[in-house]
């Protein structure tokens, strides 16, 4: 599975609302950074946030960009609009995920 397939699988898991399956994408050392609040989130905080705001919702995928290091995916949901998730993947796990929320 390449990086783009991995990221779209992550988004599909959010769409389906599979909370238990979200954990398989991360490691205990994964970094989740919110650029609007300028702070790191713990994995549990991020999962709680996803459960409350994105899981089981309609999520539209916009553009997807891939580099050697990361994948940038633009998404939009019913409740929230994001400029992008920038996801760095290493060894089939999310090493770092940056949230860029739209204004």
């Amino acid at each position: 599975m390449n990086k783009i397939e991995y990221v779209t699988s992550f988004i599909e898991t959010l769409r389906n609302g599979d909370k238990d399956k979200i954990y398989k994408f991360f490691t205990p050392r994964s970094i989740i950074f919110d650029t609007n609040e300028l702070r790191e989130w713990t994995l549990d905080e991020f999962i709680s946030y996803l459960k409350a705001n994105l899981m089981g919702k309609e999520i539209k995928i916009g553009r997807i960009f891939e580099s050697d290091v990361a994948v940038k995916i633009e998404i939009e949901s019913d409740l929230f609009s994001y400029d992008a998730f920038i996801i760095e993947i290493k060894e089939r796990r999310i090493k770092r995920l940056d949230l860029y929320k739209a204004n």
Side-chain angles (χ1 to χ4, degrees):
M1 178 181 300
N2 67 32
K3 288 187 273 186
I4 291 178
E5 292 171 338
Y6 189 81
V7 170
T8 54
S9 174
F10 173 69
I11 298 299
E12 191 60 36
T13 302
L14 288 177
R15 281 184 186 145
N16 294 335
D18 298 329
K19 179 185 173 201
D20 294 333
K21 291 183 181 180
I22 291 293
Y23 286 99
K24 77 174 186 171
F25 291 95
F26 295 91
T27 70
R29 296 184 302 178
S30 294
I31 298 169
I32 297 121
F33 188 78
D34 186 330
T35 58
N36 286 24
E37 296 179 14
L38 298 176
R39 73 175 186 104
E40 276 188 33
W41 291 7
T42 65
L43 183 55
D44 288 333
E45 286 175 326
F46 183 61
I47 297 295
S48 295
Y49 173 78
L50 290 175
K51 185 177 177 188
N53 297 302
L54 290 174
M55 291 184 122
K57 308 285 193 278
E58 179 62 33
I59 300 172
K60 298 175 188 168
I61 296 175
R63 298 180 299 175
I64 300 175
F65 302 97
E66 180 181 18
S67 73
D68 290 340
V69 177
V71 174
K72 177 182 177 182
I73 185 166
E74 296 175 347
I75 68 165
E76 184 178 323
S77 75
D78 296 338
L79 299 175
F80 293 93
S81 178
Y82 294 91
D83 288 332
F85 281 172
I86 296 182
I87 302 172
E88 183 180 342
I89 300 164
K90 187 172 184 180
E91 298 173 2
R92 295 183 47 89
R93 294 290 182 266
I94 294 175
K95 181 178 178 183
R96 181 181 177 101
L97 186 145
D98 289 351
L99 299 167
Y100 289 88
K101 296 179 189 174
N103 296 330

